[in-house]
Amino acid sequence: MGSVLHWAWILLPIAYAVVMTVRLVSAARQAGKLDLKKVGQRLLLIVLPAAAICLALYFLKGVFTGNDIISSIVQILAAIVFKWILSYPLGVVIYAIWATVAYLHLRHPQYDDMFRYIGKRLLMFIPTIIIISFLVFFIIQLPPGDYVTSYVAAMAAEGEIFTVEQIEDLRVEYGLDDPWFVQYFNWVKDIVTEGDFGYSFEYGRDVWSVIMDRLYLTLAVSLIILLFQYGVSLPIGIYCANHQYSAGDYIWSFFGFIGTATPNFLLAIIIMYYIYMTTGNVYLGLFSTEMLQNGMRWEYVPEFLGRCAIPLIVIGTSGTCGIIRTVRAQMLDEQARQYTLCARAKGCSEATITYKYCLRAALNPVVSGLAGSLRTIFSGSTVSAIVMNLAIQGPVLLAALKSQDMYLAGTTVLIQAVLVLVGTLLSDIALAWLDPRIRFAERG
Amino acid sequence: MKKLISLALALLMVLSMIPASAEAAYTQAPMLDGMDLPPVAERLPLEPMVEDAPYLTIGTYGGELRRAANSGNWYNGKPIEEGLFRFKTDGTVEPNVAKGYSVNEDYTVWTIYLREGMKWSDGAPFTAEDCVWFYNAVCMNKVDSKGIRACHKDAVTGNPAKVEKVDDYTFTVTFENPKYTFPVDLTVDLKWHYAPKHIFEKFVQAVIDGDTETALAEAKAICGVDFSDAGKAGKEMLYYFWNYAGIPTLNPYVLSTEPGKNNVKGEYYEYVRNPYYWKVDAAGQQLPYIDKIVCVTVSNADQQLMLLLDGTVDFDTVAMEAIPTIKESQTAINIYQWATTGWGDTGTQLHFNLNIADPHLNALFNNKDFRHGMSICVDREEVAGLYSGGWCSPGQAAPQPGALGYSEEWATQWTEYDVAKAKELFEAAGLVMGDDGFYNFADGTDLVINIVAVADSGAADTYKILEPYFRAAGIKCTFKDSDRANIDNDLMANAVEVMLFPVTGIGDISIALKPNSMIPGKATNVAWYGTMDKTTATGDLLKLIELYDELATTGDPARRAEIELQMLQLHQDNQWTLAYVQADLCYFAVNARIKNFPDQLVFSDIYRDAGIAHCQCWYIQE
């Protein structure tokens, strides 16, 4: 089985790349865009300089192996060329993806603008991420002191004593004796060349393993909360629009406002206090000591759900009001439109009018709001998570920022940045798919 | 003569053991019954240590000691730590892991005796080799990041001692010049003096050889952690060894090796009983009584308190403000009061940096009249009431009743409230009242006392209480609080002028054993002396440092005691730091089901904080 997978992994990209090349060429011929002379010229113009650059890089890679910035940049570029583009199977996969996109582009000329738009956005990712990573690193190291200072402070608070010499040794050990930009380029170099995001000083482990530790729980908690938010607020928003100024409208709006207006952490404290006063138990975290001790068992499910309810209500309600009010306002707006009147006059059922026509139009701002959600899923609700002692990503990021645990904080923020970029792109695409008017606008 | 006495002592100890070993009826915890282990008598050393302090009652086995941690390291380590020697409650040391010690006539060769038949928690024999190798391989090569501790350095030349094995259960520590207080120094500085050679030999050798690859592979094999570099691995596994699963120890509890329970940075972890633990109770039951220590991770002290109240955590230190809440809780919780060692309440300590670079401020802070004035311009009765809600009494930065150096006179020195006299003192210190009602320097430049503190420490509230008094006495102040790491940075750069609620408050259990907060140059984060050391100190401060240095070469106990008192007298005469409220006690909130928790001890780092409560002797009675 293992060997089958191994061969599949080796052969499939090649097979796919060959197929896509053939289809691409035939599609280009059909579209009348295959000018062999032009292709040859382009290949010469691109391939020769590229080969020269590769050769130069190959040579430079062996020369610049130091710890300075120039060496780091050379190593980064060399890694991109030799470990990514000119490597197997990654290089073939990259080519195959490009060939697929180019093929689809040729095949669907009506979406030319979309392709260009998405392509441009994707290309913009690269400089954006470089700038963000640089800024992140710069800002994290801005406050005076470094991780060693905060480490020594924390240990001293527990009675351990350090000499000046030991503190200097620690700095060397952690690589903090270099200027920050040297540290930055070394960090990027390790990411690009080895896929190594550095290690967390605080945890003494690989950054990636620290993030993975909490990733599943984080995703689970955030997704449940997201589903809760939309699951609760969409129907309420629709109900409120359909029953404007009714008692139900006021009651739901009232609760929605309460949820938004009360700071999450305060709500958490109030609920926890109330539970303690009535049951004598403190529900801190999602798992009781027994669950952590014995692993999850069926008999723990009710208590686990009970424990989930607190963060769900606390964090979930904070976002609901916004969605309820947006949906309500949009729906009312749509219901006053001519097309609604027309549909009603033509005898469409109220359900069709509401769900097929009005809702689809009303969802527009809600969907664009999804862009930020990806980031929140990864590391949102920090303060509430601290209050309720949830073992999710947010508090780790906060602690890392406070103790200047550079690589952990840097990687987390970098992932957030990528998620925001991807989220924005996805929501734009979803919006275009949902709302034809946007597609037409794109095409101008 | 000394040898004779020690021989006689050793003989006496052996004789006293005879009835116990004649009984040989050692028993073990039921938890161990089903396990594949040698009989308990074989697991114990020939002469197990008997925990028979008068306050202890014979306990029963079983149960879990539940804790909530918001920082792994010492919080877990101190309560279960087993030093070669340990402090008794009276401040002297007694053998612990070691069975005893003797010293030659000129105090240059210390001989340490170990317990025959003692075993590591994995069952491997614990011998002198583990102690000697630890020193020669680990400390000498700085593999544990700390290197040679002060206790192993020669009192005159500073050269490291020679540590040699005599036989499996005896080793010697040899100095060039007399080392009068080696066992005490060892207990303060190094504590353990051992590491499991059978586990670490290859790793340490690889680190010494600079073979990082082998070292990291070894580290991974030992504790399952992928360390990023060998230095870090050495520090973590040999210095913070209790934090890693798979490293055998001599402690009563060892970190579990089960996945999900073995990561002290995780949400939950367990320390389980060491089946080879070498202490028994007076009835011959192998300790510890409680099966395991279980620990959940929380974000802050408030959550620790909540879990205490709800009965899911068994013990912790609590702030005095929390006590009324604890008394009202539905869980039965006992409060134990331990003494603390600070000179006055740290929260109200005011440290003037006597080594500040600015010549004006330096002269002023070093002027006794100025400090006197700053002390008496405050109404301590009112401050104590506002500060602690009546829990604490007014006080001064002076040793507490019962501590060495305490006197009524010092405790009340400069504590009267007298603004007029304070102003006279300020003028005597060379300050001149300006037109704005605030004092200026004699040359007319503005005097501003810039006070800093750690954010969220509570110092901001104290400042609000104190500032009106300073203003009324004509002293202009500013206050700025910032992050702890920031403050530490400034302290190391000698950039702190005046500090309220210092990160390291003055006062400790003994000026001789733990001089860091009281003798300039002994720590990097003490606000009142900043970066001052022997080369920059003058006057009484220099005298203080010289007296401390004299201690190292003084063997005569009478002279040593005299030096200690002289150092304290210098502190009393100069009152280099101020405090406005008496030090608070340390409060332990302990679930009533935990028995054998001692009352009225002293909370001190060299006593390993809660470590001196000997958790191996606690048991659970619901």
Side-chain angles (χ1 to χ4, degrees), chain B residues 309-325:
Chain B
L309 294 174
D310 126 286
T312 42
V313 155
D314 283 323
F315 88 103
D316 224 316
T317 50
V318 291
M320 71 185 167
E321 307 89 79
I323 291 175
T325 320

Side-chain angles (χ1 to χ4, degrees), chain A residues 67-324:
Chain A
N67 217 16
D68 55 310
I69 298 176
I70 295 173
S71 303
S72 292
I73 294 175
V74 169
Q75 297 293 336
I76 291 169
L77 292 176
I80 292 175
V81 172
F82 297 112
K83 287 201 169 170
W84 293 18
I85 300 172
L86 294 183
S87 73
Y88 187 82
L90 192 61
V92 177
V93 172
I94 293 174
Y95 165 74
I97 292 173
W98 172 79
T100 313
V101 174
Y103 168 72
L104 289 175
H105 185 193
L106 278 175
R107 258 340 205 16
H108 303 278
Q110 72 271 34
Y111 293 128
D112 184 57
D113 296 322
M114 275 292 269
F115 275 102
R116 280 175 194 281
Y117 175 68
I118 294 173
K120 236 188 268 171
R121 290 286 296 269
L122 283 174
L123 277 181
M124 282 300 289
F125 271 22
I126 298 166
T128 316
I129 287 173
I130 291 174
I131 292 169
I132 289 175
S133 71
F134 191 78
L135 282 178
V136 164
F137 215 81
F138 173 69
I139 291 168
I140 294 172
Q141 62 76 44
L142 258 190
D146 52 26
Y147 177 73
V148 169
T149 330
S150 67
Y151 171 76
V152 168
M155 287 298 114
E158 294 192 69
E160 194 178 329
I161 291 153
F162 291 84
T163 61
V164 175
E165 186 200 348
Q166 279 166 349
I167 293 172
E168 279 318 306
D169 283 353
L170 278 172
R171 277 217 169 94
V172 176
E173 184 190 319
Y174 289 127
L176 294 173
D177 50 340
D178 290 327
W180 72 270
F181 41 86
V182 175
Q183 292 175 38
Y184 168 77
F185 279 103
N186 280 331
W187 180 56
V188 175
K189 181 184 81 184
D190 285 346
I191 296 176
V192 176
T193 57
E194 330 238 330
D196 173 7
F197 284 82
Y199 76 102
S200 158
F201 303 137
E202 177 70 25
Y203 289 81
R205 281 191 289 141
D206 198 22
V207 161
W208 207 244
S209 79
V210 174
I211 290 175
M212 287 307 282
D213 259 4
R214 291 183 163 212
L215 190 65
Y216 298 114
L217 190 64
T218 309
L219 290 183
V221 170
S222 314
L223 282 175
I224 291 173
I225 289 171
L226 199 69
L227 286 178
F228 172 84
Q229 280 183 351
Y230 283 94
V232 166
S233 44
L234 280 183
I236 294 179
I238 297 166
Y239 172 87
C240 291
N242 285 348
H243 304 80
Q244 197 188 6
Y245 304 134
S246 70
D249 181 16
Y250 285 121
I251 290 170
W252 286 117
S253 299
F254 176 74
F255 277 114
F257 278 127
I258 289 273
T260 303
T262 325
N264 287 349
F265 68 91
L266 188 65
L267 198 59
I269 292 171
I270 293 170
I271 294 181
M272 278 155 72
Y273 175 78
Y274 176 74
I275 292 178
Y276 172 67
M277 292 316 280
T278 47
T279 66
N281 289 319
V282 177
Y283 287 114
L284 263 187
L286 291 174
F287 305 101
S288 67
T289 313
E290 288 79 36
M291 294 180 208
L292 293 166
Q293 241 166 14
N294 307 325
M296 274 309 270
R297 290 181 189 163
W298 282 112
E299 68 252 39
Y300 298 144
V301 170
E303 194 194 337
F304 176 71
L305 290 179
R307 281 168 176 268
C308 282
I310 307 174
L312 207 61
I313 294 169
V314 170
I315 306 175
T317 50
S318 65
T320 45
C321 176
I323 307 174
I324 292 176

